[in-house]
Amino acid sequence: MRRLGALLWLALVLLASGYLALRLHDGLGFRTDLLALLPREEQDPVLQRANDAVTKALGRRVLALVGHADRETARKAAATLGDALLATGQVERIGEGIDVDRLKRLGALYFPHRQSLLSDGDRALLTAGKGEEVATRALSQAFGFAGLVDAGLLRTDPFLLLPSFLTNLPFPLSRLTPDEGMLSVTENGTTWVLVSAVLAGEPFELDLQDRLVGAFDAAVRDMPGVTVKRLGAVFFAHAGSKTAITEASTLGTLSLVGTILLVGLAFRRPGPLLHNLLALGVGMTVGLSGSLLLFGELHVAALLFGSSLIGVAVDYSLHYSASLFDPLSGSPSDRLRHVLPGIALGLVTTLIGYAALMLAPFPGLRQIAAFSIIGLVGAFLTVVLWLPSLDRARRLTHGALMLRAAAGLWSFWEERRWRGVRLVLVLGCALAAAVGLARLSADDDVRRLQAVSAELRHEQDEIQRLIGATTAAQFLLVQAADDEAALRRQEDLTATLAGLKAKGSIAGYQMPAAFVPSARTQRENRALVATALDGPLLAAQRASLGLPPADPNDKGPNKAPEGVLTLDDALAADSVPFLRELVLGPGLHVVALQGLSDPDAVRAAVAGTAGVRLVNPTADFSALLAKYRHRALLLTGLAGLLMLPVLMWRYGWRGGLWALLPPGAALILAPAVVGLMGQDFTFFHAMALVLILSIGVDYAVFCAESGVEQQPVTMLAVWLATLTTLLSFGLLAFSAVPAVHSFGVTMLVGISIAFLFAPLAARGTRHNEATNNARLL
């Protein structure tokens, strides 16, 4: 039967290897967006759609400022950079902004409706009966020293209402001015020229990152003396993915090399080393292949965490190989029969812990869980089905000193002479737990999860200051039955938003209604112009400008039409910058907020307005992390409860509780140590506790399964398993990615504590070894 199982497992491994080779040939797809690790809240699909659309629009935008003391040099360098980005094929368009051509198209869109469009200032003056001030301003612009008003415009718009409307449009790039087809700003003698682009794909695609950032850097290197500042998710993603991939390679290599050296030094024979490498290699291969088959692509974090599977998958083969030190060990089949209860029960409890990760609605963590579960099962089956057939090793006679040293921890918990030290240790742990947990505080800010380049962050701040805009994704979502109703709701919000701006809660805002007023407002504006300007002042205004009296029967091309400008007209003209990003669909609009500093004040201000809600993705994700941090702790408790019946079935109710004592102590002390270190407790600290529980139970089970004669051999296996786990998961503590670092620190502390208390699990064992083996087998 075992031979048949070995052949079937060989066939499955070959299929997995072939599939993996095929995927490697076609190119593996890795996600680098850290937010892909986070949950999708069960929420209104309209809200999710809006959130996705805004985030996508911001994520695909690339901005650069090219600066030089000489204006022409800056302009030429900006044009060169734009051409280089366009040549990559990764850019959908270049030059999104407010250039001269766009201004002409704006004029063509708005000109026919000039009597229906009023700036907020003009509307306020006319409503207050101060039409004379509007007329006087137009005259001063026409005859002033710097008057540049076109005579043709004066004939059709003698009060210059359209220029006033255009001038007061809330364009987001407030400090930039058109300069012969480019947008620029001058500061301290340096001319900064804007290069803007929209990516053709997602900024978190590795191939897009490499091509675009590579072309960007190459173009900058060829511009000596020119200063270039960059802004865009693609640059942050590229820096983050390089860090993650480098770390995955480095930490995986260190873990593998460390494991090889550890196993080689412990066994001093090629057989055990090759057996462990085989189990590890098969586990990694089937884990990666199965994950790719299930998900199609992997998050780079799954690769990083998956590389840490080395320290867990090798436990089963180490336990098998350690039996070579047992004087009572016989044939390979006997060795397997001896260790099978422990490694089988260890696998079950470990899988329960990893399965808890599958319950978390985090796409990236589900990938990590699937990778680990498949890999661990693969390593276990390799040990059970292949190693006895491949094992030709004789009992090892060296290592007496190593065995005595390994058994020292067991002696510490058993011998009376250490009773005082044990009491001090337990009291010290209790004190550390009390103080550490009292000092522990939570921080779920999603912005703290990713390592952000300080240089890129500085350049982002400089660009935002120079262009007068931010790239934050906070916005008001306006939902109504149709576009007209949505525009009216935005207009009703204007006074509220102006008050928030005056208080400093926001720096500014852009809404579709500012660019295309509602039909109601346009009709009101037209009536207001007729009664407050045309009726009492038009004749005198035209006379002052030297124009003939207006012909009421004029039906020429310059006559303003009776209809209103619609949002569909503006979208079809594609002349209003960023309007498409503000209109998500009929009746679904976005009011983009600039410089949001007091979300609570904004949320309170719009709370009474139907169909309007504040969307703050950063705060929303942080709130979700807090919610799922609590859920992660519940998952840990659930995993422990699911393990307990299995352990009680094996060891009885008292023995089951003793077996849970070592990982339970680790679950309490690991967060306490985090608190003592002055770190905040995050979701990723909480998720590490799930694995500490499952791996810690492994060590407890190995000890509980050990007879008195096998205690040194068992502790040697636990020592080796712990060291390999620390070489893998513990190394994550040195990651530059805060989320990974938090996970690694918790694992490092928790696994060490679980190992320290592992021998206590043997105190509750009530059944003899033969009965236990008979039950499990």
Side-chain angles (χ1 to χ4, degrees):
M1 180 63 72
R2 182 179 296 162
R3 184 181 298 273
L4 177 60
L7 291 175
L8 290 175
W9 180 235
L10 176 62
L12 285 175
V13 172
L14 290 176
L15 284 174
S17 301
Y19 176 74
L20 182 59
L22 182 64
R23 291 299 305 268
L24 287 171
H25 179 269
D26 295 338
L28 292 180
F30 289 106
R31 293 289 304 276
T32 62
D33 179 10
L34 189 61
L35 295 182
L37 290 171
L38 302 183
R40 308 279 289 189
E41 177 69 331
E42 300 84 359
Q43 60 183 4
D44 183 352
V46 174
L47 179 60
Q48 189 62 58
R49 173 188 167 196
N51 208 340
D52 290 345
V54 172
T55 302
K56 180 178 180 180
L58 287 174
R60 290 191 173 188
R61 189 177 299 164
V62 174
L63 298 178
L65 283 181
V66 181
H68 197 273
D70 180 66
R71 170 180 170 274
E72 285 303 318
T73 300
R75 288 170 54 82
K76 289 179 181 178
T80 300
L81 180 59
D83 292 341
L85 295 180
L86 200 58
T88 63
Q90 306 301 314
V91 171
E92 188 175 278
R93 61 182 182 272
I94 291 284
E96 181 78 11
I98 316 169
D99 54 19
V100 173
D101 180 64
R102 185 177 290 274
L103 287 175
K104 290 180 179 178
R105 285 187 283 135
L106 271 175
L109 172 68
Y110 287 128
F111 179 76
H113 305 279
R114 57 194 177 278
Q115 291 184 323
S116 303
L117 304 173
L118 291 175
S119 66
D120 291 339
D122 288 349
R123 182 180 171 90
L125 288 173
L126 296 182
T127 301
K130 298 179 180 180
E132 294 86 353
E133 293 187 22
V134 176
T136 302
R137 182 201 64 207
L139 291 174
S140 65
Q141 290 177 339
F143 297 116
F145 176 76
L148 299 175
V149 179
D150 180 77
L153 178 61
L154 285 172
R155 284 193 296 272
T156 57
D157 187 10
F159 296 105
L160 297 181
L161 298 177
L162 182 59
S164 177
F165 174 80
L166 292 175
T167 301
N168 287 277
L169 286 177
F171 293 124
L173 308 180
S174 60
R175 294 194 63 197
L176 297 176
T177 56
D179 180 11
E180 295 185 29
M182 292 183 172
L183 292 174
S184 66
V185 61
T186 301
E187 183 179 81
N188 298 328
T190 299
T191 298
W192 297 96
V193 180
L194 179 71
V195 177
S196 62
V198 176
L199 300 179
E202 295 301 321
F204 302 104
E205 297 174 3
L206 290 178
D207 184 59
L208 183 148
Q209 293 174 17
D210 291 339
R211 292 188 182 183
L212 186 124
V213 177
F216 191 102
D217 292 340
V220 171
R221 284 194 299 269
D222 294 335
M223 301 175 185
V226 175
T227 303
V228 180
K229 302 180 184 296
R230 67 190 74 190
L231 171 61
V234 65
F235 299 114
F236 288 98
H238 181 256
S241 63
K242 282 178 60 180
T243 299
I245 291 174
T246 300
E247 285 186 357
S249 175
T250 302
L251 297 181
T253 300
L254 288 174
S255 180
L256 180 60
V257 171
T259 300
I260 291 174
L261 290 175
L262 186 64
V263 174
L265 290 173
F267 295 99
R268 304 181 191 176
R269 288 185 184 176
L273 177 59
L274 294 176
H275 294 162
N276 282 276
L277 290 177
L278 175 64
L280 179 59
V282 170
M284 296 293 288
T285 298
V286 298
L288 182 57
S289 179
S291 300
L292 289 172
L293 183 63
L294 287 174
F295 302 105
E297 64 176 6
L298 289 179
H299 195 282
V300 70
L303 179 66
L304 180 59
F305 282 96
S307 65
S308 301
L309 180 64
I310 293 171
V312 186
V314 78
D315 285 2
Y316 311 124
S317 54
L318 280 174
H319 205 55
Y320 174 86
S321 298
S323 65
L324 291 171
F325 289 102
D326 188 352
L328 302 179
S329 67
S331 66
S333 296
D334 292 335
R335 287 197 285 271
L336 176 63
R337 189 177 300 108
H338 176 72
V339 302
L340 184 57
I343 65 175
L345 193 59
L347 174 68
V348 171
T349 53
T350 301
L351 293 185
I352 289 174
Y354 276 107
L357 287 180
M358 295 291 289
L359 299 178
F362 284 49
L365 294 180
R366 284 177 173 171
Q367 291 181 9
I368 294 168
F371 193 120
S372 301
I373 289 172
I374 298 171
L376 289 175
V377 172
F380 174 81
L381 291 176
T382 302
V383 171
V384 173
L385 297 175
W386 287 0
L387 290 197
S389 300
L390 299 174
D391 187 5
R392 298 292 184 270
R394 297 185 302 274
R395 189 177 72 85
L396 298 176
T397 57
H398 72 276
L401 180 61
M402 184 169 56
L403 289 170
R404 284 198 300 271
L409 181 60
W410 208 304
S411 301
F412 172 77
W413 290 108
E414 295 291 337
E415 296 180 4
R416 293 181 60 86
R417 62 192 177 108
W418 298 109
R419 186 174 181 179
V421 180
R422 289 198 299 268
L423 181 61
V424 171
L425 174 64
V426 172
L427 292 177
C429 288
L431 179 62
V435 175
L437 293 177
R439 294 182 56 184
L440 192 64
S441 60
D443 184 0
D444 301 295
D445 192 337
V446 69
R447 293 169 294 186
R448 301 182 189 276
L449 297 181
Q450 190 167 10
V452 177
S453 166
E455 180 181 356
L456 288 176
R457 173 68 71 183
H458 176 71
E459 291 186 14
Q460 171 182 281
D461 294 341
E462 282 294 292
I463 289 178
Q464 291 176 349
R465 183 184 62 81
L466 286 167
I467 67 177
T470 65
T471 56
Q474 296 97 339
F475 60 93
L476 295 177
L477 180 63
V478 180
Q479 189 175 2
D482 52 36
D483 284 334
E484 173 65 14
L487 292 173
R488 291 185 181 186
R489 285 184 178 174
Q490 293 162 48
E491 291 167 346
D492 294 340
L493 280 174
T494 302
T496 299
L497 293 174
L500 290 169
K501 183 177 180 181
K503 295 177 181 178
S505 300
I506 59 175
Y509 58 91
Q510 290 84 40
M511 61 172 63
F515 298 94
V516 181
S518 67
R520 176 191 66 182
T521 297
Q522 291 186 54
R523 294 189 184 99
E524 291 175 354
N525 288 344
R526 197 177 187 93
L528 196 57
V529 169
T531 57
L533 282 179
D534 288 352
L537 302 173
L538 180 58
Q541 184 79 353
R542 295 185 68 87
S544 299
L545 294 170
L547 300 174
D551 182 0
N553 298 315
D554 181 18
K555 302 296 183 182
N558 292 328
K559 179 67 175 179
E562 294 296 328
V564 297
L565 176 65
T566 67
L567 199 55
D568 289 339
D569 294 336
L571 292 172
D574 194 26
S575 57
V576 181
F578 313 112
L579 184 60
R580 289 192 180 277
E581 298 176 7
L582 301 178
V583 180
L584 306 181
L588 189 63
H589 299 178
V590 165
V591 179
L593 302 178
Q594 298 287 331
L596 176 63
S597 60
D598 191 350
D600 292 336
V602 175
R603 187 175 286 108
V606 303
T609 306
V612 179
R613 48 187 160 176
L614 174 66
V615 181
N616 186 354
T618 300
D620 292 343
F621 272 125
S622 298
L624 282 177
L625 279 179
K627 179 186 296 185
Y628 285 99
R629 172 172 50 80
H630 293 118
R631 290 191 184 182
L633 296 176
L634 291 176
L635 285 177
T636 305
L638 175 62
L641 290 176
L642 292 175
M643 292 175 183
L644 189 57
V646 178
L647 296 172
M648 286 183 172
W649 168 80
R650 179 67 172 169
Y651 307 120
W653 70 269
R654 191 182 301 272
L657 293 176
W658 274 104
L660 275 181
L661 175 62
L667 294 182
I668 295 173
L669 288 170
V673 172
V674 171
L676 291 174
M677 294 170 62
Q679 294 186 7
D680 293 315
F681 194 73
T682 69
F683 166 79
F684 286 91
H685 289 99
M687 291 309 297
L689 297 181
V690 179
L691 302 189
I692 290 172
L693 173 63
S694 57
I695 297 173
V697 167
D698 252 8
Y699 302 158
V701 165
F702 292 160
C703 291
E705 290 291 331
S706 176
V708 176
E709 297 82 0
Q710 286 77 37
Q711 286 180 0
V713 175
T714 298
M715 283 311 302
L716 176 61
V718 174
W719 265 100
L720 294 175
T722 302
L723 291 174
T724 54
T725 301
L726 294 179
L727 277 172
S728 53
F729 283 114
L731 285 176
L732 297 179
F734 299 97
S735 172
V737 180
V740 179
H741 169 77
S742 300
F743 189 95
V745 166
T746 312
M747 290 295 296
L748 181 64
V749 175
I751 292 300
S752 300
I753 294 171
F755 163 74
L756 177 63
F757 287 94
L760 291 175
R763 292 192 174 189
T765 304
R766 289 180 172 271
H767 304 282
N768 60 48
E769 184 177 344
T771 303
N772 291 341
N773 290 343
R775 282 190 174 185
L776 192 63
L777 296 176

